[in-house]
Amino acid sequence: MSLKTFSKGALRAAKNYTKGYSDVQAKVREATSNDPWGPSDTQMNEIAQMTYNQNDFVEIMEMLDKRLDDKGKNWRHVFKCLTLLGYLLHADSENVVAYFRDNIYIIKTIKEFQYIDEYGEDQGANVRQKAKDITNLLMDETRLRQERRSRTNMRDRMPGQADYDDDNNNVPQINARRTRGAGGDDDLRRAIEESKRLTEERFEDSDLARAVKLSEEELRWKAALADLGSPFDDP
């Protein structure tokens, strides 16, 4: 990892703390950063599993909305967010499908995304195509259900991949069925209604303690990075 790449990660971690982002939202920010790679399957799978938790679902949707609203030089935020969204639409919680069907205008707007980089490359083209593909998928219920079913069948045929556990992925296992069932629509409605309250309460004491520790570690690197001199894009 280069010094510049590390410094971007350090800045992102510091921003997660100063802006009060939760662990869940920090994971979405990391998966949809301006770094020229990813998001990885591991990152997307972890986020997909968290959409079954009502509180986590709200925080994930809030951060996706924020990333999808980025413009210009932050085109990677938008492109990688669309990549993550495509994964979520195929995997696990139906709440993600319901949310973006209700808010499909967000994706339709991105079909007009424009950005020409300093080399004259139309980076907006890939963003526009990705937005078009996702819009078409959201509007075709039969196709989406078939693709979701195919993915579920494929996962079920792969022992050890159906569950997301600590041994294989180094992340906490989440019960993927705890919000599934007849009450799913009620859960989604309550989750959206509680979005504002959760925004204020989500930074719990345990998160603060971890963030303070992380901030102290990152500050020790700040002196080493000070001689770089050039500003970084919003990570």
Side-chain angles (χ1 to χ4, degrees):
M1 179 183 295
S2 69
L3 183 60
K4 182 175 180 179
T5 299
F6 178 85
S7 63
K8 281 191 174 184
L11 288 173
R12 192 178 305 121
K15 190 171 183 179
N16 288 339
Y17 167 62
T18 59
K19 294 291 186 179
Y21 292 124
S22 69
D23 285 349
V24 172
Q25 290 182 316
K27 290 180 187 299
V28 178
R29 280 171 50 78
E30 181 68 26
T32 59
S33 70
N34 267 328
D35 294 332
W37 59 75
S40 70
D41 286 344
T42 298
Q43 288 174 316
M44 293 190 292
N45 191 22
E46 180 178 6
I47 293 168
Q49 297 299 314
M50 290 190 294
T51 61
Y52 280 106
N53 178 279
Q54 179 175 307
N55 293 351
D56 292 349
F57 170 79
V58 172
E59 295 188 349
I60 291 168
M61 295 303 103
E62 288 175 346
M63 188 51 61
L64 291 181
D65 285 347
K66 179 178 175 62
R67 287 304 211 198
L68 290 171
D69 194 46
D70 272 328
K71 304 289 190 302
K73 65 182 181 179
N74 287 325
W75 65 270
R76 285 193 181 92
H77 286 175
V78 184
F79 182 80
K80 292 167 73 172
C81 190
L82 290 171
T83 300
L84 173 59
L85 176 57
Y87 185 98
L88 297 179
L89 291 175
H90 286 85
D92 303 312
S93 178
E94 289 274 3
N95 287 348
V96 177
V97 177
Y99 180 86
F100 277 98
R101 276 206 177 123
D102 288 343
N103 296 279
I104 195 171
Y105 69 91
I106 297 174
I107 311 301
K108 287 183 175 181
T109 300
I110 301 172
K111 293 196 300 183
E112 306 301 323
F113 189 94
Q114 300 289 332
Y115 179 64
I116 307 295
D117 67 17
E118 63 270 28
Y119 304 107
E121 296 289 334
D122 183 8
Q123 300 294 354
N126 291 330
V127 176
R128 294 192 297 272
Q129 184 60 50
K130 183 76 75 173
K132 179 180 177 181
D133 292 342
I134 290 179
T135 298
N136 291 340
L137 182 61
L138 285 168
M139 296 178 66
D140 190 339
E141 182 175 358
T142 301
R143 175 189 161 202
L144 180 54
R145 289 197 175 278
Q146 288 175 343
E147 292 187 7
R148 285 176 60 86
R149 188 179 304 113
S150 295
R151 182 180 181 87
T152 299
N153 292 339
M154 179 180 66
R155 183 185 60 189
D156 291 344
R157 289 196 300 267
M158 299 174 64
Q161 298 298 317
D163 295 325
Y164 200 63
D165 55 42
D166 289 336
D167 292 338
N168 294 326
N169 300 283
N170 196 32
V171 294
Q173 183 175 357
I174 296 176
N175 183 355
R177 292 176 174 79
R178 60 189 170 193
T179 61
R180 191 191 298 267
D185 291 341
D186 291 338
D187 288 340
L188 175 60
R189 184 171 57 256
R190 286 195 299 270
I192 295 174
E193 290 172 351
E194 291 179 2
S195 174
K196 183 177 180 180
R197 180 180 62 80
L198 291 173
T199 300
E200 298 172 351
E201 297 179 354
R202 64 191 174 211
F203 205 64
E204 303 293 343
D205 291 343
S206 59
D207 293 326
L208 179 60
R210 289 193 297 271
V212 170
K213 181 179 179 180
L214 177 60
S215 179
E216 290 172 349
E217 294 173 353
E218 300 302 344
L219 286 174
R220 287 197 292 269
W221 280 93
K222 188 174 181 180
L225 298 173
D227 61 344
L228 291 177
S230 60
F232 295 112
D233 294 337
D234 181 26

